[in-house]
Amino acid sequence: MGNIKVGLLGFGTVGSGVYEIIENYQERLESLLGKKVDLAGILVNDITKERGIAPEILVTTDFDEILAIPDLDVVIEAIVGIEPGYTYLSKAIDKGCHIITANKELFAHKGRELKQQAQAKNVEISYEASVAGGVPVIGTLHQLLQVNSVVKIEAILNGTSNYILSEIRNERTAFLDALQSAQTKGYAEADPSNDVDGYDAFYKIVILTELLFGQRPEWKWIERKGIRDISLNHIQLAESFGFRLKHVASLVYKDGALKIDVEPKVVSEDHPLYSVEGVDNAVVITGDLVGQLKLQGPGAGKLPTASAIIEDLVNVFNSVHHSPVVKEVKLLHDVDEQEQTWFVIGNSTDQFEGITLFEESIMDHHDRVTGRLIQATGREIKKLKAKDNDLTVYPFSGTPAQPVKKAFATA
Ligand code: NAP
Ligand code: HSE
């Protein structure tokens, strides 16, 4: 009985974590898998870096040398960007290897193609680490989907953004200092604009949507905003209501229609995402039978992410197989007509003439920066913004202190 032979692509934060677990937990892995795990080759970009890798392991910049490893069973991918990862994984599948990836940008763009190719070649493809780091959201959704329809997800999917927002609020840290700290801790992407401009959470909600509905959503359906424009003033205004600003990816599925957003939201204290702090991610899932459940844990970082990859490795070889789900999905065309609650920040009251305000808090009496909680449709919010370019509007999720009144007397 041979060993399980692994090729590892990338030796950064995630790849080095995978190496450490395989090196340090060999006994545990052998007891789970009935075989030793043999990390046979590692692909890197810069061969000159000192990495402390055991001398018997092949370290190369040439992917063909990894593929040429005799009896290679599985390729674990933890590099960045769509290419060259897609080409490498595609070649690995062709050779009959199982594949595991942490790369959400690659998987959001090319997951469907890789899944089809893997199915045709009868190999496994696993991607738990690509969404929410160490939080087992992919496995949980596969499990739930056996009997539930998932009708709603509200999630914090970017550890870097959540870490930055927590640092600014708790420590009054400047945005760039908080970002630098997230980079030092290994949370941020190689290009951190992926994190702070919402692309990373966007890729992750695309992956979840494709898992839930068996098809990739039209990307133009998804509103994407990051955290770059959130100021300390906004955070403090939200706080004065007892609320917090969070970067939230949400998906609502109703009557065959889908609405997906990735944006900063104001949440109240009783909302399940309110208490999710630092690098933690959380995924609040509503299933039609199970009701609401919440998964929470470290969404980025070396060992949590590597742990998710090793779980995939164990599942692949213990034949935990997930069947694809296929559903009909249509775009929800009337999103702008749906009434909801908004947290509105502005420095004048003119544009609210004739509007019944629900609750307001004035931050600075000289500048009259005011936060207001109102209820309106998306279309009405657009009208408000057209009157005042400086108005900032965040969707609100949770329970307001008092019942919310309608923002417009009549449209
Ligand atoms: P990282 O620290 O920047 O490491 C990237 C690694 O990939 C480096 O070892 C680099 O080689 C190697 N690499 C880059 N381009 C390459 C190429 N063209 N050919 C060969 N090797 C190449 O990144 P990371 O944080 O580990 O993230 C890796 C992947 O996991 C990304 O897709 C990321 O989105 C995802 N992920 C990250 C986290 C996290 O917490 N960091 C969590 C979940 C998922 P050199 O070392 O030679 O430069
Ligand atoms: N940069 C990502 C984050 C890593 O901060 O969430 C985990 O996917």
Side-chain angles (χ1 to χ4, degrees), residues 338-410:
Q338 303 235 323
E339 214 167 69
Q340 67 174 89
T341 309
W342 309 83
F343 189 75
V344 180
I345 299 174
N347 59 6
S348 108
T349 50
D350 296 351
Q351 74 272 36
F352 290 98
E353 209 178 323
I355 293 175
T356 314
L357 298 173
F358 155 62
E359 199 178 324
E360 72 176 22
S361 170
I362 296 172
M363 171 82 196
D364 176 326
H365 288 267
H366 299 295
D367 294 342
R368 288 201 55 81
V369 179
T370 306
R372 297 178 176 89
L373 204 60
I374 65 174
Q375 186 149 353
T377 65
R379 193 181 295 280
E380 287 167 335
I381 288 295
K382 278 184 188 154
K383 277 192 203 168
L384 274 182
K385 280 175 139 179
K387 283 195 217 167
D388 180 357
N389 267 343
D390 294 331
L391 203 67
T392 306
V393 181
Y394 296 106
F396 173 84
S397 199
T399 317
Q402 308 161 36
V404 182
K405 289 179 191 154
K406 181 91 174 64
F408 284 68
T410 48

Side-chain angles (χ1 to χ4, degrees), residues 168-194:
I168 295 176
R169 203 190 63 251
N170 293 326
E171 312 293 335
R172 301 297 187 235
T173 313
F175 178 89
L176 285 178
D177 291 339
L179 172 58
Q180 197 174 30
S181 166
Q183 287 174 299
T184 307
K185 288 172 187 279
Y187 305 155
E189 296 299 299
D191 174 1
S193 72
N194 271 323

Side-chain angles (χ1 to χ4, degrees), residues 8 10-27 29 39 42 51-54 57 302-304 306-307 310:
L8 174 63
F11 200 80
T13 303
V14 177
S16 62
V18 170
Y19 171 85
E20 272 180 37
I21 296 181
I22 293 176
E23 287 287 297
N24 299 333
Y25 295 88
Q26 193 57 242
E27 235 174 75
L29 289 174
L39 181 49
I42 301 175
R51 304 178 196 262
I53 295 172
I57 299 176
K302 183 170 166 171
L303 288 181
S307 160
I310 299 297

Side-chain angles (χ1 to χ4, degrees), residues 50 92 95 173 181 229 235 264 267-268 271 330 336 375 406:
E50 185 46 59
K95 208 192 158 200
T173 313
S181 166
D229 296 333
I235 290 172
V267 298
S268 59
H271 190 281
K330 296 191 304 247
D336 278 355
Q375 186 149 353
K406 181 91 174 64

